[in-house]
Amino acid sequence: MPINPFCHNPHEREFVAREIKKGWTVVRSGWPDFLLMRDDAAGKQYMAVEVKQDHESDHPRPEQTIVLQALRELGMECWVWSGKDKTLRDP
């Protein structure tokens, strides 16, 4: 599912057009609100979290879902934090 990213300058537009022609899906928006990192006795751990407020939709936007799925495929934990319920849940 190609996403048309917003490009700030001609160099970005040129780069994006080139990569789309090569078959890449280019994603500029939809990144999680937070990337959590820790390094302890269990090793390095990473977690991506999208925060949803009370007035927002309870589900990630389509572009957020694409990014969270890609991060999960890379082995990262991904969650949605509900401001209403104060809980972490699957996206």
Side-chain angles (χ1 to χ4, degrees), residues 2-83:
I3 293 178
N4 186 8
F6 176 78
C7 297
H8 294 289
N9 63 57
H11 300 292
E12 289 179 352
R13 284 190 293 277
E14 178 185 8
F15 170 76
V16 168
R18 187 182 87 170
E19 298 310 312
I20 288 173
K21 285 181 184 176
K22 292 179 183 178
W24 289 99
T25 297
V26 179
V27 179
R28 181 154 201 152
S29 63
W31 292 93
D33 292 311
F34 296 99
L35 174 63
L36 286 71
M37 302 173 284
R38 88 173 148 198
D39 190 1
D40 58 18
K44 291 185 179 184
Q45 298 174 302
Y46 300 93
M47 181 169 52
V49 179
E50 175 63 31
V51 175
K52 293 296 181 187
Q53 299 179 32
D54 295 340
H55 67 279
E56 289 185 290
S57 165
D58 207 22
H59 302 285
R61 295 185 319 269
E63 63 270 21
Q64 292 172 323
T65 300
I66 290 169
V67 171
L68 292 169
Q69 180 61 37
L71 293 173
R72 279 192 162 184
E73 289 173 7
L74 292 170
M76 186 178 295
E77 285 187 54
C78 296
W79 301 97
V80 172
W81 169 261
S82 169

